[in-house]
Amino acid sequence: MGLLYRIWGSHHARLGIRAIDSILPSTLYGSRPSRYAGQVWSQLLWAVEDSIAHDVSLSGIFADIQKAFNCLPRFVIFEIAALVGIPMRVLTAWAGALSDLGRRFQLGPNLTKAAYSVTGLPEGDGLSCLGMVLIDMLFHAWHLAFFPLCQPVSYVDDWTLITTDPSAMVGLFQCLDRFTKELDLQLDLKKTCFWSVSASGRKLLRSQGFTVVSSCRSLGAHVQLSRKHTNATLQERVSGLMPMWNRLRLSACAYEHKVRALRAGAWPRGLHAITATSVASNTFHSLRTGAMKGLCADGSGCNAFLHLGLVETPQTDPQFWSIAQTFRMVRDCGVEDVVHTVLWSMVQGNSEFASNGISATLLTRVQTLGWHVDRMMLVDDFGPFSLFDIAIDELVWRMQWAWLKVVAAKVHHRPGLKDLQCIDPVKTRLWLQKLSPSDRACYRKILNGAHITQDGKHYCQEVAEDTCPYCACSDSRFHRFWQCDAFTDCRNSVDHDLWVALPQLPECVVSYGWSLRPSTFEEWFSLLADIDVPAVPAWSAQKSEVVHLFTDGSCYNPQYPDARFAAWAIVVADPSQVAEPILLDSGSLPGIRQTSMRAELFAVFRAVRFAVVHQVAIMIWCDCQAVVNRLRKLIAGGLVRINSPNADLWLKISNDLALLSQGMVDITKVAAHRSLQSARNGFEEWYFLHNRFSDNAANRANMMRSSLFWELLHRHVNACKLVDRWNGAIQCVLLRISQTVLRAEAPCPPDVIPDTLATVPVWTPLPPLKALPSKAVRWKCNGSEDCFLVLGHASWCYWAGSMGSYVPVVH
């Protein structure tokens, strides 16, 4: 019955919250769809930053309720629920279930009888969340009526009251206190604090007898309420990770599971709400050191920047993870005009904004990647882009490209890694995944800079010479892998052109095993980023007619991301089959991310934009099921999450749909790549024909490019083929030699001649005892001949037989 009630309660709680969502205040965040705690403290931090910049004495109260769910008044909740329209049958069942709910208390080893009450809601019940939402709704309505000069903000039992007049704090607190007393609730005074962003406001609050804070913990985030930089909450979280490293190191799970534990467990736990404040580089250094220890990768010479940021995906590095989380939070909670305007003002030298604010933290992390701010745009090696308008996949791609240069700068002092910016970490990781677990562990030691040759031992131990153990030459990585005669057989498959090019190749490629990046890499992706979008074509047909548009996308080299390119096309079809199909619009897919899915989506986006410009009703025929399903959800009123894949195009489509009347856009799925002979009727033949026409139009659009594009593509493909062949040969040589060295260093078991006589145990009986020592006996039989005697704390039992002898038996 308990399980059935929980399922029933969760179902009706979900329906109830959705039903009243439209009448809830905008600053009520708890238990609502698409609302979470980060929105509360991030909006507060932007408000604090703006108030400091414009000299506004923003002040407020952080209040918390003692044992909130246990003390909620049921009668009040049911009254509010009935007023907002919750069905009576639901309220009756809910009240009946609560009346039969008893609490039991544990007193030492004893459990009391069930105690029943008429107040409180059980935690873990879905309907309890609905009850808390109704209390929060009442909290907002109370202060709107009795103290309209404040702004209430709530998240479950965390209540915040904000005002621009610190002198009104006495009345504000009294209003809050009256509200809690009317509901028979108690404020948790230990967690309730007062604050003001101005020095005069804090002084006034202290004079009124309030406990004033300049920073505190709110919903897990460290909130700074003055210009003084603090990060105590975050430092406490980081310190809490220290015991994890030993446990992770001793864990018997696979290496890949430990890496996943870092990304999914350690960093979300220790760096929660990292967007709110900044931390020193030493903090990230300590986290890297602990992570390397937990991964058992802290050998001599192993570089944490290399291992966590390039050998593994950059999200494994705590600093990169923090930057990514900051960007995601700002994109999800920030306002584009406000964020970019403040960033541009700060880089122009405006000191009005606090140096410890959320925008200053964002700017620090933008500049950590080597990017700079240009008015409403960020600029990197591939050109300007908006933090809010770019797709999350492309943003992460640009971040990883920038992170390569950050790591290269950190290890530039090591001679073998001074050209690290020339490598391709993605190709290296793809090759690494093809190896067996033992070979991956071996090759990671080559990649992360571990001292594996004699010339590196003087960094970690005192050595008199650096002679190669396999020949009389000086030992080094290049000597071991490419010159030592002991490993000539491992290099027999190396082509002549690679032998000629070896002296000119970067040492991080030939001696550390990283994949070389083609020289045309940056030029190629810069060209893709600069592709322009054509204007919406003209249309002269009557607006009362529904225009049938077939959309399609085409992608060349889809299996090779570094050289693929895509295009899209839209074809107008006549359902009466009188007019010929017309190519309405087509072009190359803009942006760095070139995929067939994105090309299909871009064609649909252009079709919707065509409907907006000409205010015509359209029916879209698309052969991509994912695009069809998502567009139908948007037409039905669905929302787009900015950090979801291809969200930049979906947001544009959503904004365009808002400019059209209901029913002006519809979409249907068509079968792809069907022959006309397979059509079963005239209708199928019609849309098979037009779908093939749009497919051919997209392929033609992919080929209609400038001579500059084809010349660059030819050079880029040749460069990719060459470096792929060289990388494969170099990495195979390094792996073979490493395997040979490990097999030679592994201790060989000595030749043992089996001795059958020595393996047979010889048992000698114990001497008979006249009597057992009384102090050694814990249990004694009652005259039986066959019984167990347990002697002291020994781990043996003795069988007492009629013959008077004792045979040891395992206890």
Side-chain angles (χ1 to χ4, degrees), residues 562-590:
D562 286 349
R564 63 189 176 195
F565 53 98
W568 51 276
I570 304 175
V571 172
V572 180
D574 182 10
S576 63
Q577 303 186 24
V578 175
E580 294 292 331
I582 302 172
L583 177 60
L584 176 66
D585 201 3
S586 65
S588 302
L589 179 65

PDB file of all heavy atoms in Angstrom, residues 562-590:
ATOM      1  N   ASP A 562      37.169  15.636 -39.451  1.00  0.00           N
ATOM      2  CA  ASP A 562      38.099  16.727 -39.760  1.00  0.00           C
ATOM      3  C   ASP A 562      37.994  17.219 -41.192  1.00  0.00           C
ATOM      4  O   ASP A 562      38.577  18.264 -41.520  1.00  0.00           O
ATOM      5  CB  ASP A 562      39.541  16.269 -39.493  1.00  0.00           C
ATOM      6  CG  ASP A 562      39.848  16.189 -38.013  1.00  0.00           C
ATOM      7  OD1 ASP A 562      39.016  16.677 -37.228  1.00  0.00           O
ATOM      8  OD2 ASP A 562      40.892  15.636 -37.631  1.00  0.00           O
ATOM      9  N   ALA A 563      37.275  16.506 -42.062  1.00  0.00           N
ATOM     10  CA  ALA A 563      37.203  16.932 -43.459  1.00  0.00           C
ATOM     11  C   ALA A 563      35.789  16.844 -44.012  1.00  0.00           C
ATOM     12  O   ALA A 563      35.606  16.817 -45.223  1.00  0.00           O
ATOM     13  CB  ALA A 563      38.154  16.088 -44.320  1.00  0.00           C
ATOM     14  N   ARG A 564      34.797  16.822 -43.164  1.00  0.00           N
ATOM     15  CA  ARG A 564      33.438  16.718 -43.679  1.00  0.00           C
ATOM     16  C   ARG A 564      32.842  18.119 -43.863  1.00  0.00           C
ATOM     17  O   ARG A 564      33.199  19.057 -43.163  1.00  0.00           O
ATOM     18  CB  ARG A 564      32.568  15.878 -42.759  1.00  0.00           C
ATOM     19  CG  ARG A 564      32.355  16.411 -41.367  1.00  0.00           C
ATOM     20  CD  ARG A 564      31.660  15.375 -40.509  1.00  0.00           C
ATOM     21  NE  ARG A 564      31.510  15.804 -39.115  1.00  0.00           N
ATOM     22  CZ  ARG A 564      31.202  14.992 -38.119  1.00  0.00           C
ATOM     23  NH1 ARG A 564      31.003  13.708 -38.362  1.00  0.00           N
ATOM     24  NH2 ARG A 564      31.098  15.455 -36.891  1.00  0.00           N
ATOM     25  N   PHE A 565      31.919  18.214 -44.811  1.00  0.00           N
ATOM     26  CA  PHE A 565      31.230  19.473 -45.082  1.00  0.00           C
ATOM     27  C   PHE A 565      29.823  19.144 -45.561  1.00  0.00           C
ATOM     28  O   PHE A 565      29.585  18.106 -46.177  1.00  0.00           O
ATOM     29  CB  PHE A 565      31.993  20.319 -46.107  1.00  0.00           C
ATOM     30  CG  PHE A 565      32.313  19.597 -47.393  1.00  0.00           C
ATOM     31  CD1 PHE A 565      31.514  19.752 -48.510  1.00  0.00           C
ATOM     32  CD2 PHE A 565      33.424  18.770 -47.475  1.00  0.00           C
ATOM     33  CE1 PHE A 565      31.815  19.090 -49.699  1.00  0.00           C
ATOM     34  CE2 PHE A 565      33.723  18.112 -48.647  1.00  0.00           C
ATOM     35  CZ  PHE A 565      32.925  18.264 -49.762  1.00  0.00           C
ATOM     36  N   ALA A 566      28.880  20.029 -45.233  1.00  0.00           N
ATOM     37  CA  ALA A 566      27.463  19.735 -45.464  1.00  0.00           C
ATOM     38  C   ALA A 566      26.783  20.908 -46.147  1.00  0.00           C
ATOM     39  O   ALA A 566      27.289  22.035 -46.157  1.00  0.00           O
ATOM     40  CB  ALA A 566      26.766  19.411 -44.141  1.00  0.00           C
ATOM     41  N   ALA A 567      25.608  20.610 -46.706  1.00  0.00           N
ATOM     42  CA  ALA A 567      24.783  21.624 -47.367  1.00  0.00           C
ATOM     43  C   ALA A 567      23.322  21.244 -47.181  1.00  0.00           C
ATOM     44  O   ALA A 567      22.995  20.144 -46.718  1.00  0.00           O
ATOM     45  CB  ALA A 567      25.134  21.748 -48.840  1.00  0.00           C
ATOM     46  N   TRP A 568      22.437  22.139 -47.570  1.00  0.00           N
ATOM     47  CA  TRP A 568      21.007  21.952 -47.365  1.00  0.00           C
ATOM     48  C   TRP A 568      20.243  22.508 -48.565  1.00  0.00           C
ATOM     49  O   TRP A 568      20.801  23.282 -49.371  1.00  0.00           O
ATOM     50  CB  TRP A 568      20.547  22.688 -46.102  1.00  0.00           C
ATOM     51  CG  TRP A 568      20.987  24.130 -46.089  1.00  0.00           C
ATOM     52  CD1 TRP A 568      22.186  24.608 -45.684  1.00  0.00           C
ATOM     53  CD2 TRP A 568      20.244  25.246 -46.592  1.00  0.00           C
ATOM     54  NE1 TRP A 568      22.243  25.969 -45.880  1.00  0.00           N
ATOM     55  CE2 TRP A 568      21.059  26.387 -46.417  1.00  0.00           C
ATOM     56  CE3 TRP A 568      18.985  25.403 -47.133  1.00  0.00           C
ATOM     57  CZ2 TRP A 568      20.645  27.654 -46.800  1.00  0.00           C
ATOM     58  CZ3 TRP A 568      18.556  26.670 -47.509  1.00  0.00           C
ATOM     59  CH2 TRP A 568      19.393  27.782 -47.328  1.00  0.00           C
ATOM     60  N   ALA A 569      18.979  22.107 -48.683  1.00  0.00           N
ATOM     61  CA  ALA A 569      18.156  22.580 -49.800  1.00  0.00           C
ATOM     62  C   ALA A 569      16.687  22.490 -49.423  1.00  0.00           C
ATOM     63  O   ALA A 569      16.287  21.660 -48.597  1.00  0.00           O
ATOM     64  CB  ALA A 569      18.430  21.764 -51.058  1.00  0.00           C
ATOM     65  N   ILE A 570      15.877  23.388 -50.038  1.00  0.00           N
ATOM     66  CA  ILE A 570      14.425  23.414 -49.846  1.00  0.00           C
ATOM     67  C   ILE A 570      13.777  23.443 -51.229  1.00  0.00           C
ATOM     68  O   ILE A 570      14.130  24.268 -52.075  1.00  0.00           O
ATOM     69  CB  ILE A 570      13.978  24.646 -49.038  1.00  0.00           C
ATOM     70  CG1 ILE A 570      14.696  24.692 -47.695  1.00  0.00           C
ATOM     71  CG2 ILE A 570      12.473  24.639 -48.835  1.00  0.00           C
ATOM     72  CD1 ILE A 570      14.402  25.946 -46.894  1.00  0.00           C
ATOM     73  N   VAL A 571      12.820  22.551 -51.417  1.00  0.00           N
ATOM     74  CA  VAL A 571      12.136  22.423 -52.710  1.00  0.00           C
ATOM     75  C   VAL A 571      10.650  22.666 -52.503  1.00  0.00           C
ATOM     76  O   VAL A 571      10.048  22.134 -51.555  1.00  0.00           O
ATOM     77  CB  VAL A 571      12.379  21.036 -53.322  1.00  0.00           C
ATOM     78  CG1 VAL A 571      11.526  20.836 -54.563  1.00  0.00           C
ATOM     79  CG2 VAL A 571      13.854  20.859 -53.658  1.00  0.00           C
ATOM     80  N   VAL A 572      10.036  23.476 -53.389  1.00  0.00           N
ATOM     81  CA  VAL A 572       8.601  23.731 -53.351  1.00  0.00           C
ATOM     82  C   VAL A 572       7.912  22.713 -54.238  1.00  0.00           C
ATOM     83  O   VAL A 572       8.294  22.515 -55.403  1.00  0.00           O
ATOM     84  CB  VAL A 572       8.276  25.157 -53.832  1.00  0.00           C
ATOM     85  CG1 VAL A 572       6.783  25.405 -53.800  1.00  0.00           C
ATOM     86  CG2 VAL A 572       8.998  26.176 -52.972  1.00  0.00           C
ATOM     87  N   ALA A 573       6.906  22.029 -53.673  1.00  0.00           N
ATOM     88  CA  ALA A 573       6.170  20.999 -54.410  1.00  0.00           C
ATOM     89  C   ALA A 573       4.724  21.435 -54.617  1.00  0.00           C
ATOM     90  O   ALA A 573       4.130  22.091 -53.754  1.00  0.00           O
ATOM     91  CB  ALA A 573       6.224  19.678 -53.654  1.00  0.00           C
ATOM     92  N   ASP A 574       4.163  21.065 -55.742  1.00  0.00           N
ATOM     93  CA  ASP A 574       2.763  21.355 -56.061  1.00  0.00           C
ATOM     94  C   ASP A 574       1.935  20.103 -55.788  1.00  0.00           C
ATOM     95  O   ASP A 574       2.098  19.089 -56.467  1.00  0.00           O
ATOM     96  CB  ASP A 574       2.637  21.763 -57.532  1.00  0.00           C
ATOM     97  CG  ASP A 574       1.205  22.122 -57.901  1.00  0.00           C
ATOM     98  OD1 ASP A 574       0.378  22.240 -56.971  1.00  0.00           O
ATOM     99  OD2 ASP A 574       0.922  22.267 -59.102  1.00  0.00           O
ATOM    100  N   PRO A 575       1.052  20.111 -54.776  1.00  0.00           N
ATOM    101  CA  PRO A 575       0.282  18.908 -54.468  1.00  0.00           C
ATOM    102  C   PRO A 575      -0.665  18.497 -55.590  1.00  0.00           C
ATOM    103  O   PRO A 575      -1.054  17.335 -55.681  1.00  0.00           O
ATOM    104  CB  PRO A 575      -0.487  19.297 -53.203  1.00  0.00           C
ATOM    105  CG  PRO A 575      -0.527  20.780 -53.212  1.00  0.00           C
ATOM    106  CD  PRO A 575       0.736  21.229 -53.876  1.00  0.00           C
ATOM    107  N   SER A 576      -1.023  19.447 -56.455  1.00  0.00           N
ATOM    108  CA  SER A 576      -1.897  19.095 -57.584  1.00  0.00           C
ATOM    109  C   SER A 576      -1.122  18.466 -58.723  1.00  0.00           C
ATOM    110  O   SER A 576      -1.729  18.020 -59.701  1.00  0.00           O
ATOM    111  CB  SER A 576      -2.622  20.340 -58.076  1.00  0.00           C
ATOM    112  OG  SER A 576      -1.700  21.301 -58.583  1.00  0.00           O
ATOM    113  N   GLN A 577       0.195  18.464 -58.637  1.00  0.00           N
ATOM    114  CA  GLN A 577       1.082  17.853 -59.642  1.00  0.00           C
ATOM    115  C   GLN A 577       0.952  18.510 -61.006  1.00  0.00           C
ATOM    116  O   GLN A 577       1.211  17.890 -62.039  1.00  0.00           O
ATOM    117  CB  GLN A 577       0.821  16.352 -59.756  1.00  0.00           C
ATOM    118  CG  GLN A 577       0.965  15.604 -58.453  1.00  0.00           C
ATOM    119  CD  GLN A 577       0.835  14.104 -58.620  1.00  0.00           C
ATOM    120  OE1 GLN A 577       1.070  13.573 -59.704  1.00  0.00           O
ATOM    121  NE2 GLN A 577       0.464  13.427 -57.544  1.00  0.00           N
ATOM    122  N   VAL A 578       0.564  19.788 -60.988  1.00  0.00           N
ATOM    123  CA  VAL A 578       0.471  20.530 -62.250  1.00  0.00           C
ATOM    124  C   VAL A 578       1.796  21.221 -62.538  1.00  0.00           C
ATOM    125  O   VAL A 578       2.332  21.133 -63.653  1.00  0.00           O
ATOM    126  CB  VAL A 578      -0.676  21.558 -62.194  1.00  0.00           C
ATOM    127  CG1 VAL A 578      -0.698  22.416 -63.456  1.00  0.00           C
ATOM    128  CG2 VAL A 578      -2.001  20.841 -61.996  1.00  0.00           C
ATOM    129  N   ALA A 579       2.341  21.908 -61.535  1.00  0.00           N
ATOM    130  CA  ALA A 579       3.588  22.648 -61.724  1.00  0.00           C
ATOM    131  C   ALA A 579       4.777  21.757 -61.387  1.00  0.00           C
ATOM    132  O   ALA A 579       4.682  20.808 -60.581  1.00  0.00           O
ATOM    133  CB  ALA A 579       3.591  23.894 -60.848  1.00  0.00           C
ATOM    134  N   GLU A 580       5.903  22.077 -61.976  1.00  0.00           N
ATOM    135  CA  GLU A 580       7.136  21.357 -61.708  1.00  0.00           C
ATOM    136  C   GLU A 580       7.682  21.778 -60.337  1.00  0.00           C
ATOM    137  O   GLU A 580       7.430  22.882 -59.866  1.00  0.00           O
ATOM    138  CB  GLU A 580       8.173  21.674 -62.787  1.00  0.00           C
ATOM    139  CG  GLU A 580       7.809  21.175 -64.177  1.00  0.00           C
ATOM    140  CD  GLU A 580       7.835  19.667 -64.254  1.00  0.00           C
ATOM    141  OE1 GLU A 580       8.620  19.046 -63.482  1.00  0.00           O
ATOM    142  OE2 GLU A 580       7.066  19.103 -65.053  1.00  0.00           O
ATOM    143  N   PRO A 581       8.431  20.892 -59.673  1.00  0.00           N
ATOM    144  CA  PRO A 581       9.060  21.298 -58.401  1.00  0.00           C
ATOM    145  C   PRO A 581      10.058  22.428 -58.622  1.00  0.00           C
ATOM    146  O   PRO A 581      10.741  22.491 -59.646  1.00  0.00           O
ATOM    147  CB  PRO A 581       9.743  20.016 -57.918  1.00  0.00           C
ATOM    148  CG  PRO A 581       9.884  19.163 -59.132  1.00  0.00           C
ATOM    149  CD  PRO A 581       8.739  19.497 -60.026  1.00  0.00           C
ATOM    150  N   ILE A 582      10.126  23.331 -57.634  1.00  0.00           N
ATOM    151  CA  ILE A 582      10.981  24.509 -57.743  1.00  0.00           C
ATOM    152  C   ILE A 582      11.994  24.486 -56.598  1.00  0.00           C
ATOM    153  O   ILE A 582      11.634  24.259 -55.434  1.00  0.00           O
ATOM    154  CB  ILE A 582      10.142  25.803 -57.664  1.00  0.00           C
ATOM    155  CG1 ILE A 582       9.087  25.820 -58.760  1.00  0.00           C
ATOM    156  CG2 ILE A 582      11.032  27.039 -57.738  1.00  0.00           C
ATOM    157  CD1 ILE A 582       8.115  26.971 -58.621  1.00  0.00           C
ATOM    158  N   LEU A 583      13.262  24.724 -56.931  1.00  0.00           N
ATOM    159  CA  LEU A 583      14.290  24.867 -55.899  1.00  0.00           C
ATOM    160  C   LEU A 583      14.140  26.248 -55.266  1.00  0.00           C
ATOM    161  O   LEU A 583      14.457  27.265 -55.883  1.00  0.00           O
ATOM    162  CB  LEU A 583      15.682  24.695 -56.502  1.00  0.00           C
ATOM    163  CG  LEU A 583      16.857  24.886 -55.532  1.00  0.00           C
ATOM    164  CD1 LEU A 583      16.794  23.881 -54.384  1.00  0.00           C
ATOM    165  CD2 LEU A 583      18.196  24.787 -56.268  1.00  0.00           C
ATOM    166  N   LEU A 584      13.650  26.284 -54.032  1.00  0.00           N
ATOM    167  CA  LEU A 584      13.391  27.559 -53.362  1.00  0.00           C
ATOM    168  C   LEU A 584      14.647  28.142 -52.737  1.00  0.00           C
ATOM    169  O   LEU A 584      14.927  29.335 -52.879  1.00  0.00           O
ATOM    170  CB  LEU A 584      12.312  27.363 -52.283  1.00  0.00           C
ATOM    171  CG  LEU A 584      11.996  28.589 -51.417  1.00  0.00           C
ATOM    172  CD1 LEU A 584      11.358  29.677 -52.276  1.00  0.00           C
ATOM    173  CD2 LEU A 584      11.087  28.212 -50.256  1.00  0.00           C
ATOM    174  N   ASP A 585      15.403  27.325 -52.034  1.00  0.00           N
ATOM    175  CA  ASP A 585      16.534  27.843 -51.268  1.00  0.00           C
ATOM    176  C   ASP A 585      17.537  26.712 -51.073  1.00  0.00           C
ATOM    177  O   ASP A 585      17.163  25.538 -50.913  1.00  0.00           O
ATOM    178  CB  ASP A 585      16.049  28.369 -49.911  1.00  0.00           C
ATOM    179  CG  ASP A 585      17.026  29.351 -49.284  1.00  0.00           C
ATOM    180  OD1 ASP A 585      18.038  29.665 -49.927  1.00  0.00           O
ATOM    181  OD2 ASP A 585      16.762  29.804 -48.148  1.00  0.00           O
ATOM    182  N   SER A 586      18.810  27.057 -51.038  1.00  0.00           N
ATOM    183  CA  SER A 586      19.866  26.069 -50.810  1.00  0.00           C
ATOM    184  C   SER A 586      21.145  26.817 -50.466  1.00  0.00           C
ATOM    185  O   SER A 586      21.267  28.024 -50.684  1.00  0.00           O
ATOM    186  CB  SER A 586      20.082  25.170 -52.032  1.00  0.00           C
ATOM    187  OG  SER A 586      20.572  25.923 -53.125  1.00  0.00           O
ATOM    188  N   GLY A 587      22.099  26.095 -49.921  1.00  0.00           N
ATOM    189  CA  GLY A 587      23.373  26.707 -49.579  1.00  0.00           C
ATOM    190  C   GLY A 587      24.232  25.792 -48.739  1.00  0.00           C
ATOM    191  O   GLY A 587      23.837  24.674 -48.381  1.00  0.00           O
ATOM    192  N   SER A 588      25.418  26.269 -48.431  1.00  0.00           N
ATOM    193  CA  SER A 588      26.358  25.523 -47.593  1.00  0.00           C
ATOM    194  C   SER A 588      26.014  25.725 -46.123  1.00  0.00           C
ATOM    195  O   SER A 588      25.560  26.797 -45.720  1.00  0.00           O
ATOM    196  CB  SER A 588      27.794  25.988 -47.857  1.00  0.00           C
ATOM    197  OG  SER A 588      28.124  25.829 -49.219  1.00  0.00           O
ATOM    198  N   LEU A 589      26.233  24.699 -45.334  1.00  0.00           N
ATOM    199  CA  LEU A 589      25.950  24.777 -43.902  1.00  0.00           C
ATOM    200  C   LEU A 589      27.002  25.640 -43.231  1.00  0.00           C
ATOM    201  O   LEU A 589      28.197  25.337 -43.308  1.00  0.00           O
ATOM    202  CB  LEU A 589      25.938  23.373 -43.290  1.00  0.00           C
ATOM    203  CG  LEU A 589      25.683  23.291 -41.785  1.00  0.00           C
ATOM    204  CD1 LEU A 589      24.287  23.778 -41.454  1.00  0.00           C
ATOM    205  CD2 LEU A 589      25.890  21.866 -41.288  1.00  0.00           C
ATOM    206  N   PRO A 590      26.617  26.715 -42.538  1.00  0.00           N
ATOM    207  CA  PRO A 590      27.606  27.558 -41.859  1.00  0.00           C
ATOM    208  C   PRO A 590      28.007  26.964 -40.508  1.00  0.00           C
ATOM    209  O   PRO A 590      27.245  26.240 -39.873  1.00  0.00           O
ATOM    210  CB  PRO A 590      26.868  28.884 -41.684  1.00  0.00           C
ATOM    211  CG  PRO A 590      25.436  28.494 -41.587  1.00  0.00           C
ATOM    212  CD  PRO A 590      25.260  27.275 -42.445  1.00  0.00           C
TER     213      PRO A 590
END
